[in-house]
Amino acid sequence: MDDQNLRWEHEVPDELADDQDEISYRSRAVILSEVGSFLRCIAPIRLDNGAIARFGVWVAILDDVQQVMAAGRSGGDAWASLKFTGVLANRLTPWPTIYRPIVSVAVSEPDLVPLLVDSRDPHMRNVLTRAWPHTDVIPPREQRG
């Protein structure tokens, strides 16, 4: 695995893992269900070795869902300037006690996946802003010796 492009993906929001029958629409970037509207995002986690671990996660949209979806369909500047608030819908393995924090999400360029940029939850904010020991974040089977 390229040490500068570490990545793990969550297939679905945690609350839908056991009952995917609730999903009414699914694409690579969007899941619509009875429990919410979710957008795939990246949680970028800085590591002490200079790499960034990128966790592909789902965020339940709290803001105007129609506005977020319209920006996605429009693309271009509408997408590149998108900012919204949501709830992180996946646990991050290195931090299992952080569950469903409110997060701020932003897109910085037209072709990029939205990034988690901040959180109201102080523990999640800490996860997003500090550099973590790579040995704590990277599963041992994926570490290079």
Side-chain angles (χ1 to χ4, degrees), residues 4-21:
Q4 299 303 311
N5 191 25
L6 305 169
R7 188 166 190 158
W8 296 273
E9 300 289 345
H10 290 272
E11 291 295 319
V12 295
D14 290 350
E15 62 195 289
L16 295 174
D18 293 331
D19 191 7
Q20 294 190 27
D21 290 338

Side-chain angles (χ1 to χ4, degrees), residues 3-4 6 8 42-55 92 94-95 116-117 124-138:
D3 287 340
Q4 299 303 311
L6 305 169
W8 296 273
I42 300 293
I45 310 299
R46 292 182 315 119
L47 303 177
D48 63 356
N49 65 359
I52 296 177
R54 292 169 179 86
F55 289 84
L92 300 177
W95 304 276
L116 276 60
V117 295
M124 188 66 203
R125 178 177 288 143
N126 190 39
V127 167
L128 293 170
T129 58
R130 83 172 253 217
W132 293 90
H134 67 281
T135 54
D136 292 350
V137 177
I138 302 169

Side-chain angles (χ1 to χ4, degrees), residues 67 71 75-84 105-110:
Q67 180 181 1
D77 290 340
W79 180 250
S81 62
L82 179 66
K83 294 181 173 135
F84 69 93
V105 178
V107 180
S108 59
E109 294 182 31

Side-chain angles (χ1 to χ4, degrees), residues 64-120:
D64 184 343
V65 172
Q66 297 303 322
Q67 180 181 1
V68 172
M69 296 301 170
R73 284 190 301 276
S74 297
D77 290 340
W79 180 250
S81 62
L82 179 66
K83 294 181 173 135
F84 69 93
T85 302
V87 175
L88 179 61
N90 298 108
R91 279 192 168 94
L92 300 177
T93 304
W95 304 276
T97 59
I98 299 175
Y99 185 61
R100 298 186 54 82
I102 298 203
V103 293
S104 298
V105 178
V107 180
S108 59
E109 294 182 31
D111 296 327
L112 294 183
V113 173
L115 297 175
L116 276 60
V117 295
D118 199 6
S119 178
R120 295 178 190 170

